[in-house]
Amino acid sequence: MSSLRQQKLHPLADWHSKPWPDHPKLPVMDQRIAKFASRCCFEAEREVRRLERQYASGASRRKVGNRSHQIALGYKMRLYSALKAARKSGDKLTFSALQSRAAAAKNYNAPTESFTKFSKKKWNGSSRIIFSFGPIRKAQQETLKALLIATTPEPQYDYCHQGRRGHHGAICKIREALLAGTRFWMVTDIKNAFPSMTMEHATPHTYVSKRLLLRVGFYFSHKGSARPELPQGGKHSSYICSAVIDGVLRKLYNPDVEKVAFSDNVTIGATTKAHAVIAFQQIETELASLKAGPLALHHTVFSVGDQHRGKFSYQGFKGRGSIWFCGYAASLDKTTDYVRIRANKIAFDKVKVRIRAEFFKPLSNEQLEAVYEELTDPPSDHWLFNRLKNEWARSGYPEWKWVTHTYEHLTNTFWVIAQAERAERGLTAAAD
């Protein structure tokens, strides 16, 4: 049994050594070399675990930082990170290509590749700058991410990390809190979170080598910029962002206040309106008074969890029925003690374009007319409902529980989209 374990390849080495099913002639890593790469991967993971134990034992910042720097420069860690970064990009490496990347990844001060930036629109019409990196920088960032995880307290409130189910874990936590009586929530996010964070924000929360953190973790976004910033799009960036925000949330000790975060999105819940606002103001004050520089909150909405819909204002805040968080909406039905979870309006508005393009555009005129007639009173197993469930809701919103109201709303939505498609094709006038 022990000999079989020794022969088993590390998953990364195994993946890089298996031919592409649809392109079996493309070069991949030789099986004999893969055994060597496998041993390097296992040893790199052991080194990171040893660093984690050293940090947990209370070793000094200097000792842990020096050791993290040694690990990052080590050949085994560089090879392991290059394999991991390539795997995530869907790129199988030969050993020659792997060696080249691992060698280049040692140069933290002057990498041999540049990065690019592009603007991505946000839901509110504004935009954010996203960084796009090459394979060597991605490998270095994989190393930094592993060392950050090993030398940083695990975030208590952030659900964007592995094992916490992301958006879905966050909305489940909100559901639990609603059922426990936490009905009033302040939903907000950090303004320009990534570009606002600096080395000085990050260093109090991790023992990782400062040199490594500076050279790999932060970038000058443009010529003439005053300081390097945390790049949105970096493999490591969400871990630094989480550590900073989680450190602020930990300062709010009130056990009656719930805190849920996903990267730079934060929601704070309480059993009374006053306590929710007070908790929000405390977090706002903490963020504004950080020694490294203030972080500001914006897009704040006061949300009432036992109302399904509606808009209002409360103490100068925009108010809304239901809690909108990371694409979901959650609200408690007081008569049944059932929490309704569904995609919120912003998320659903985005999918309407896809519904028309993917569900209605391919239909012939005759098929479109038939579907239009069916939508006057469709059954719950209608193919449009099933396609939406299988192609969007199942993967994007698995916590969305469909009820009678869901089908009624979707029927109306499908009917309106079908009507728009008919009008574009001139079918409405023909029918009249």
Side-chain angles (χ1 to χ4, degrees):
M1 182 66 72
S2 60
S3 62
L4 287 175
R5 281 185 190 152
Q6 291 174 0
Q7 293 174 4
K8 188 175 180 180
L9 291 178
H10 187 280
L12 283 175
D14 185 49
W15 186 84
H16 282 276
S17 64
K18 286 183 177 178
W20 293 104
D22 49 348
H23 295 286
K25 293 185 179 180
L26 286 178
V28 294
M29 191 181 299
D30 183 85
Q31 281 285 341
R32 290 171 296 178
I33 296 295
K35 293 180 180 179
F36 168 74
S38 176
R39 290 196 296 272
C40 289
C41 290
F42 282 124
E43 182 56 35
E45 290 177 341
R46 280 193 288 269
E47 286 182 348
V48 173
R49 288 196 295 270
R50 285 194 285 267
L51 177 69
E52 186 175 10
R53 289 195 294 269
Q54 183 183 22
Y55 164 75
S57 69
S60 68
R61 179 182 291 273
R62 183 176 180 180
K63 285 184 178 180
V64 176
N66 289 340
R67 183 58 189 149
S68 70
H69 190 69
Q70 292 171 1
I71 293 173
L73 292 177
Y75 174 74
K76 294 173 184 176
M77 189 67 196
R78 287 185 282 117
L79 185 143
Y80 168 72
S81 295
L83 285 175
K84 181 183 283 190
R87 170 69 180 89
K88 290 182 177 180
S89 298
D91 182 15
K92 287 182 186 284
L93 300 181
T94 62
F95 190 67
S96 175
L98 174 61
Q99 281 188 310
S100 177
R101 291 190 185 183
K106 191 174 184 179
N107 184 1
Y108 290 109
N109 295 326
T112 57
E113 64 183 5
S114 60
F115 59 86
T116 59
K117 307 186 297 294
F118 61 93
S119 180
K120 183 178 180 181
K121 282 190 175 182
K122 299 167 69 174
W123 62 269
N124 60 356
S126 62
S127 60
R128 59 166 63 96
I129 298 298
I130 306 296
F131 287 68
S132 179
F133 297 96
I136 297 169
R137 271 306 196 194
K138 287 180 180 178
Q140 292 173 335
Q141 290 171 359
E142 287 289 353
T143 294
L144 177 58
K145 182 175 76 171
L147 298 175
L148 281 168
I149 294 171
T151 63
T152 306
E154 183 179 1
Q156 292 182 5
Y157 309 108
D158 198 323
Y159 283 79
C160 75
H161 301 302
Q162 188 174 2
R164 307 202 76 181
R165 296 193 62 228
H167 300 165
H168 321 306
I171 205 67
C172 287
K173 177 62 179 178
I174 291 172
R175 175 172 56 196
E176 292 174 8
L178 280 171
L179 291 171
T182 306
R183 307 292 170 84
F184 304 101
W185 297 75
M186 301 295 290
V187 182
T188 187
D189 65 77
I190 311 295
K191 184 178 182 180
N192 298 323
F194 286 81
S196 296
M197 289 190 184
T198 65
M199 272 282 294
E200 289 71 26
H201 286 103
T203 48
H205 302 283
T206 181
Y207 280 20
V208 75
S209 163
K210 289 185 179 180
R211 183 183 173 194
L212 180 66
L213 194 63
L214 176 62
R215 299 300 183 186
V216 179
F218 292 84
Y219 295 81
F220 288 97
S221 59
H222 58 276
K223 289 183 179 180
S225 56
R227 56 171 178 72
E229 65 187 47
L230 187 63
Q232 190 153 3
K235 303 286 185 182
H236 61 291
S237 297
S238 63
Y239 288 84
I240 293 176
C241 183
S242 292
V244 174
I245 295 173
D246 202 76
V248 172
L249 294 179
R250 287 171 191 256
K251 294 180 180 180
L252 185 61
Y253 295 111
N254 191 334
D256 297 325
V257 173
E258 291 287 350
K259 292 157 283 185
V260 180
F262 183 86
S263 189
D264 58 341
N265 301 286
V266 178
T267 184
I268 304 161
T271 54
T272 68
K273 293 179 180 180
H275 287 163
V277 172
I278 290 170
F280 168 79
Q281 291 171 340
Q282 289 174 336
I283 296 297
E284 189 176 39
T285 300
E286 289 288 347
L287 287 167
S289 59
L290 290 173
K291 290 182 180 179
L295 298 176
L297 296 170
H298 70 156
H299 298 144
T300 303
V301 177
F302 182 87
S303 302
V304 179
D306 54 7
Q307 295 180 18
H308 295 312
R309 63 185 67 84
K311 294 182 179 180
F312 53 91
S313 62
Y314 179 73
Q315 292 191 7
F317 295 104
K318 291 181 179 179
R320 177 188 295 133
S322 77
I323 302 143
W324 289 17
F325 195 70
C326 294
Y328 277 108
S331 53
L332 176 71
D333 189 324
K334 291 182 285 188
T335 60
T336 62
D337 271 347
Y338 174 78
V339 177
R340 281 180 51 195
I341 294 179
R342 64 275 188 198
N344 68 31
K345 185 180 183 299
I346 294 172
F348 198 71
D349 282 347
K350 291 179 181 179
V351 85
K352 286 179 182 177
V353 178
R354 288 181 53 192
I355 289 173
R356 186 171 177 180
E358 297 176 17
F359 296 3
F360 289 96
K361 287 288 186 185
L363 300 178
S364 67
N365 289 351
E366 292 76 13
Q367 291 171 328
L368 179 60
E369 290 291 83
V371 169
Y372 183 70
E373 292 298 326
E374 291 170 1
L375 288 173
T376 57
D377 187 23
S380 60
D381 62 349
H382 190 276
W383 67 270
L384 281 172
F385 297 139
N386 289 332
R387 280 196 64 182
L388 188 65
K389 275 185 175 181
N390 295 329
E391 296 181 18
W392 185 65
R394 179 173 292 177
S395 58
Y397 294 87
E399 296 303 319
W400 186 3
K401 306 304 180 187
W402 289 36
V403 295
T404 302
H405 179 75
T406 305
Y407 291 103
E408 294 171 354
H409 172 70
L410 289 176
T411 297
N412 182 63
T413 300
F414 283 135
W415 188 86
V416 170
I417 296 173
Q419 191 177 45
E421 180 65 21
R422 289 174 72 241
E424 185 178 287
R425 298 188 191 188
L427 298 177
T428 304
D432 294 342

